[in-house]
Amino acid sequence: MANLPLGDVGAARLLPYTGPGDAKATVVFLHDEESSVPEGLLAALQERGTVVAPVHPGFGDAPRPAWVKTVRDIADYELDVIDEAGPAPLVLVGSSFGGWVAAELALRLSQRVRGVLLLGPLGLHVQDELIADHWFRTPQQRARLLYEDPMKAPQVGIEESVANDESMARYGWNPRLVDPALAPRLRRLSAPVRILWGEAERFVPASHAEAWLAALPDASSARVPGSGHFLAYEARESVLAELDDLIGRTATGA
Amino acid sequence: MQFTLFHLMPWPYLPGDFIDRESSAWVTYSNSNFDPERGRELYERYISELVAGEDLGFDVISVNEHHQTAYGLMPSPNLVAMALVQRTRAVKIAVMGNAIPLHDHPLRVVEEIGMLDLMSGGRIISGLVRGIGPEYHTFGVNPAYSEDRFREAHDLMIAAWTRPGPFSWDGEHYQVRYVNPWPLPLQKPHPPIWIPTQGSTSTLRWVAENDHSLFQTFAPLEQIERTSAAFRQFVTEYGHEPDPMKMGWSLPVYVGKDDETAMAEIAPHVEYLYRELVHRPFQGFLPPGYVARESFTKVMQTRGAISSERPTAELLDSRSQIIVGGPETVARRLREAAERTGVGILAPLLQVGTMNAELTRASTLRFAEHVMPKLREFVPEAAERSAVRR
């Protein structure tokens, strides 16, 4: 694991390919609000390609420049990080909050994007279909809302979870975890997008799945059994199989 | 010492099985449980209880601000203050809102405090607060910017009261082309500012730096003492003289006929305040970003120890988080507390939880007639100075 010398670009990780032969892709992983560095998942991604894994400003131990206040700002900020990965076509994988960041990045990276895999993405506003409130709840209620099996939640330290929760609030308190101006822009995201939802998803209303499909030119979705909101932790094998499929479908032949 | 009659205007009608049946007395407890007829009666009664403070000799009567909760019926402290202005002549009125980050716009508060001060003949004390955690759920205001917004709103208010207008304000959270409030308050440069707090270090520093009055609420005596000492230290560091009359402490007080009967009389009412009325998910009290990360982490690490203790009246009394007893005992304990803390303004909450009008009147009368006179001439010295002299 190598930390990129990124100056004021902040915390990011460039992780080398660990599989046999040549890397089949450059994967940009946009983390969720549960863990800024989900080690096991990143290792599995490395078996498929070179991985760029920025830590969003304010999450984990990443600094946040004062001007970065919205998810759109995060995307603009992380363009510099992604440039460090070189000119290769990119596969974007985003989990929950990171799915929202991935959509914004894909809009900005445009032709460089081979494909996008979104895992229970936040960010899309659907009138009167609010993402559930996980904040005015006890930890037990929150865990039951977010997971089918709360035991599968990643283990993170108190300091990281405090930082992540604060950052989620900063970017998404109101309107709650959505950007009303995201949907009208998604028509410009021309790369293939695959969207996965847990069958036991209780956090994001099912109507959001339909809304993503309606807003994107080339998207498909699937519901994955055995998972609540966080497929990255509850349905990792399915996620990796879908990623392999996306990499295969979008192979550039290079 | 000075005496501030404090009131929360609680909703006393939560059912007996409330804790088991409901998850919170804040934010989510349905307002279908609010009975407007009872609400009308409560306002009339509670306002009378505050107004009575003037003839009983209190220096200040005080209102506060909370939203969407059975804890208190004063979402607009300025409206209650205006009712008090109309029914009193000389007593000062402390507005222990306004929760300036919750509302757009701070200049509206500048205007309303100005109006209150003029119509009261300069009797207003302007409290400024951030609003507590649950209120960030009721208004959708982002808790991660709460402290920043509070400080900028404060700076804008002070500027609006002290700089000739119009001027422009180019802030991070507020941008105003023309700041030029009409009317301006009667008191110059502006009404005294009291900052209620639970005592985080950054707030103490800020209050000291700005030379405002510190008003501590509802904490055990040991914490009040510690916070007061830290505050005096900061006041000195910023080049001001520590002044007991710029330090206040609010706590529930019950004055019974004698020590033997007092605890039994007050216990259910105090426990209603400390159980039913503060019932809510802990996480709702501290929304993400509401306090600095380091403080948040510390709270998360120590939370188990705090929440496991059932807040009985005896336990609260043993920490002097409330003070209960006959008149002699209450006077003695308040004097000792003032000596330990160096606090010169006492703000007893004399209507507590479910206390009815009769019980409230009796305790308030005993406080005014038998406790206040014993402490009136006493001015605590800053605690460490008196320690040196001993």
Side-chain angles (χ1 to χ4, degrees):
Chain A
M1 185 178 293
N3 287 308
L4 287 171
L6 286 166
D8 66 353
V9 175
R13 286 168 179 84
L14 179 62
L15 309 171
Y17 174 60
T18 58
D22 294 330
K24 292 180 277 299
T26 297
V27 177
V28 180
F29 178 73
L30 291 317
H31 71 78
D32 54 54
E33 57 274 30
E34 296 290 86
S35 170
S36 62
V37 188
E39 301 281 358
L41 181 61
L42 291 175
L45 297 179
Q46 284 180 265
E47 291 166 10
R48 284 145 176 96
T50 305
V51 176
V52 185
V55 178
H56 311 312
F59 287 80
D61 56 4
R64 180 185 65 89
W67 66 268
V68 178
K69 291 181 173 175
T70 66
V71 171
R72 286 187 242 175
D73 296 339
I74 295 177
D76 287 328
Y77 177 78
E78 290 182 355
L79 286 175
D80 284 359
V81 182
I82 287 160
D83 279 351
E84 299 287 329
L90 305 168
V91 174
L92 271 48
V93 180
S95 170
S96 188
F97 182 80
W100 182 4
V101 178
E104 288 289 351
L105 272 171
L107 286 168
R108 286 160 177 73
L109 293 162
S110 166
Q111 300 304 315
R112 287 185 59 195
V113 179
R114 272 167 68 177
V116 182
L117 179 62
L118 302 178
L119 316 173
L122 308 177
L124 209 62
H125 175 248
V126 183
Q127 187 66 44
D128 295 323
E129 294 285 309
L130 304 183
I131 292 175
D133 179 22
H134 67 305
W135 274 315
F136 197 75
R137 290 182 191 259
T138 65
Q140 294 75 19
Q141 291 168 337
R142 174 173 169 153
R144 282 198 299 273
L145 174 73
L146 295 173
Y147 290 91
E148 177 167 280
D149 177 7
M151 297 303 289
K152 292 190 175 151
Q155 297 295 311
V156 296
I158 289 178
E159 284 175 11
E160 157 127 9
S161 64
V162 166
N164 292 357
D165 220 28
E166 177 199 305
S167 299
M168 275 286 274
R170 195 177 291 283
Y171 297 117
W173 187 264
N174 197 17
R176 182 60 63 86
L177 298 172
V178 299
D179 176 0
L182 176 58
R185 292 177 291 128
L186 284 179
R187 63 184 178 79
R188 293 187 59 86
L189 204 176
S190 51
V193 180
R194 180 70 167 165
I195 309 176
L196 304 182
W197 302 95
E199 273 189 356
E201 170 72 78
R202 287 180 284 264
F203 187 43
V204 181
S207 53
H208 286 225
E210 295 308 313
W212 279 97
L213 295 181
L216 287 160
D218 181 8
S220 65
S221 75
R223 298 203 83 88
V224 178
S227 181
H229 176 66
F230 289 106
L231 297 107
Y233 310 109
E234 291 200 272
R236 184 163 297 172
E237 292 312 312
S238 303
V239 168
L240 293 171
E242 289 278 354
L243 177 60
D244 289 336
D245 182 62
L246 183 67
I247 291 172
R249 277 198 287 135
T250 60
T252 51
Chain B
M1 301 199 74
Q2 287 193 356
F3 297 93
T4 294
L5 179 60
F6 193 51
H7 213 302
L8 290 174
M9 298 197 174
W11 182 254
Y13 303 116
L14 297 177
D17 58 352
F18 178 75
I19 300 265
D20 299 325
R21 236 181 39 200
E22 299 283 344
S23 59
S24 177
W26 295 71
V27 184
T28 55
Y29 181 51
S30 172
N31 62 5
S32 62
N33 296 292
F34 182 83
D35 176 343
E37 194 49 45
R38 284 172 152 175
R40 187 184 66 78
E41 290 166 5
L42 284 174
Y43 276 122
E44 192 50 46
R45 178 192 143 197
Y46 287 158
I47 286 171
S48 305
E49 289 173 356
L50 278 165
V51 168
E54 171 158 55
D55 289 338
L56 289 173
F58 284 87
D59 304 281
V60 182
I61 55 180
S62 176
V63 300
N64 82 334
E65 170 175 349
H66 288 296
H67 299 270
Q68 291 190 22
T69 174
Y71 185 81
L73 301 178
M74 289 186 276
S76 170
N78 297 346
L79 285 182
V80 182
M82 184 50 90
L84 298 176
V85 165
Q86 299 301 316
R87 298 186 199 194
T88 54
R89 303 170 307 279
V91 71
K92 289 191 185 300
I93 298 166
V95 182
M96 302 300 269
N98 277 281
I100 43 179
L102 290 180
H103 308 304
D104 282 328
H105 197 285
L107 290 178
R108 169 72 177 250
V109 178
V110 161
E111 292 167 342
E112 290 186 352
I113 293 293
M115 293 169 71
L116 281 166
D117 202 48
L118 290 164
M119 291 191 222
S120 67
R123 293 190 280 136
I124 297 299
I125 292 162
S126 175
L128 297 177
V129 300
R130 280 169 58 189
I132 69 169
E135 286 150 357
Y136 285 79
H137 290 272
T138 59
F139 285 103
V141 171
N142 195 326
Y145 291 103
S146 162
E147 187 158 19
D148 289 353
R149 272 171 70 94
F150 174 78
R151 293 192 181 186
E152 189 182 325
H154 162 273
D155 293 348
L156 171 54
M157 290 181 68
I158 299 294
W161 276 331
T162 54
R163 283 170 59 184
F167 61 89
S168 59
W169 185 267
D170 185 16
E172 172 84 10
H173 301 280
Y174 305 98
Q175 298 84 29
V176 186
R177 181 64 58 169
Y178 303 105
V179 180
N180 192 27
W182 289 64
L184 287 169
L186 193 60
Q187 298 179 82
K188 294 298 165 202
H190 50 73
I193 291 178
W194 287 9
I195 307 293
T197 178
Q198 298 273 352
S200 80
T201 304
S202 70
T203 303
L204 296 183
R205 271 188 186 285
W206 179 86
V207 177
E209 185 179 2
N210 286 277
D211 203 17
H212 295 322
S213 296
L214 185 80
F215 195 85
Q216 298 188 69
T217 51
F218 292 17
L221 177 58
E222 206 179 290
Q223 185 185 324
I224 303 286
E225 190 178 4
R226 215 168 36 238
T227 303
S228 301
F231 179 63
R232 270 190 302 273
Q233 184 71 36
F234 293 137
V235 168
T236 309
E237 274 175 34
Y238 284 102
H240 307 295
E241 183 70 18
D243 179 357
M245 304 322 286
K246 292 183 84 168
M247 293 168 64
W249 174 27
S250 176
L251 76 169
V253 172
Y254 179 71
V255 190
K257 282 188 295 295
D258 49 53
D259 291 353
E260 288 67 43
T261 54
M263 183 55 78
E265 282 170 4
I266 192 60
H269 309 294
V270 162
E271 289 171 12
Y272 179 87
L273 169 63
Y274 278 89
R275 295 185 72 233
E276 274 81 356
L277 288 178
V278 299
H279 181 49
R280 63 207 159 196
F282 171 79
Q283 283 64 23
F285 186 68
L286 277 182
Y290 180 76
V291 297
R293 285 182 187 184
E294 308 72 55
S295 320
F296 217 123
T297 303
K298 239 181 270 173
V299 171
M300 297 298 282
Q301 283 159 344
T302 53
R303 182 162 53 90
I306 296 166
S307 58
S308 59
E309 252 176 329
R310 189 175 175 279
T312 62
E314 282 87 358
L315 179 71
L316 295 163
D317 187 64
S318 72
R319 299 171 178 156
S320 293
Q321 193 160 356
I322 63 172
I323 286 185
V324 175
E328 296 292 328
T329 299
V330 170
R332 176 181 52 76
R333 289 178 63 193
L334 284 175
R335 182 175 171 127
E336 285 168 7
E339 279 171 354
R340 275 175 65 182
T341 59
V343 164
I345 302 171
L346 277 176
L349 180 76
L350 288 159
Q351 192 287 328
V352 184
T354 40
M355 278 172 79
N356 65 21
E358 195 185 347
L359 199 59
T360 304
R361 195 178 308 117
S363 175
T364 308
L365 265 174
R366 288 187 201 107
F367 187 88
E369 291 175 359
H370 304 297
V371 177
M372 282 201 309
K374 293 192 173 67
L375 302 171
R376 179 57 80 187
E377 300 307 320
F378 170 67
V379 178
E381 301 185 56
E384 66 263 46
R385 271 189 291 159
S386 46
V388 169
R389 284 192 194 165
R390 248 183 260 136

